[in-house]
Amino acid sequence: NRTKTEDELRALSKNPAMIAKGKEALKKTVCFTCHGAEYTGLIGPNLRDKYWLYGSSMTEMVKTITHGRIVNGVVVMTPQNLTLKADAIEAIACYIVQLNREGEKPGMRPQAPREKADPITY
């Protein structure tokens, strides 16, 4: 399964079937444990605001979901490729993008690095 380009992922993110698949796949994860039931952040950041820690591209989103993130030797997000296939991860990214298209939701305050980042535009 090859890695999709940004343009391919953005096109998929407008596909209602892909969005629905992502919504269902996300229910089978424990992402809510850190990101909250509405993905507005708990100990993990708000996924429904316009700033992201690791870049706002869909390719970065897929990379983060797939491989997780380690900061200063500490796992700050667990990799999801241990339990999810690539197509499910891409679908989850599409669903999260759709949530962002619906508008921001207040939640965890953005961390300083995010406040300087380029805002998400989908």
Side-chain angles (χ1 to χ4, degrees), residues 39-114:
Y39 309 104
T40 56
L42 287 173
I43 60 171
N46 184 353
L47 300 180
R48 301 198 55 190
D49 65 6
K50 62 183 175 179
Y51 298 102
W52 289 54
L53 285 170
Y54 305 110
S56 59
S57 70
M58 287 194 72
T59 51
E60 280 301 312
M61 189 185 311
V62 167
K63 181 178 173 183
T64 296
I65 297 168
T66 302
H67 302 292
R69 291 291 177 170
I70 297 174
V71 176
N72 296 326
V74 176
V75 176
V76 296
M77 180 168 157
T78 57
Q80 298 300 306
N81 64 345
L82 304 174
T83 56
L84 297 172
K85 293 183 179 181
D87 63 327
I89 290 171
E90 292 165 356
I92 287 170
C94 290
Y95 176 63
I96 292 169
V97 165
Q98 179 58 35
L99 290 176
N100 277 275
R101 284 187 187 120
E102 292 170 7
E104 286 188 72
K105 272 200 146 186
M108 176 185 267
R109 184 178 130 17
Q111 291 91 354
R114 291 169 53 189

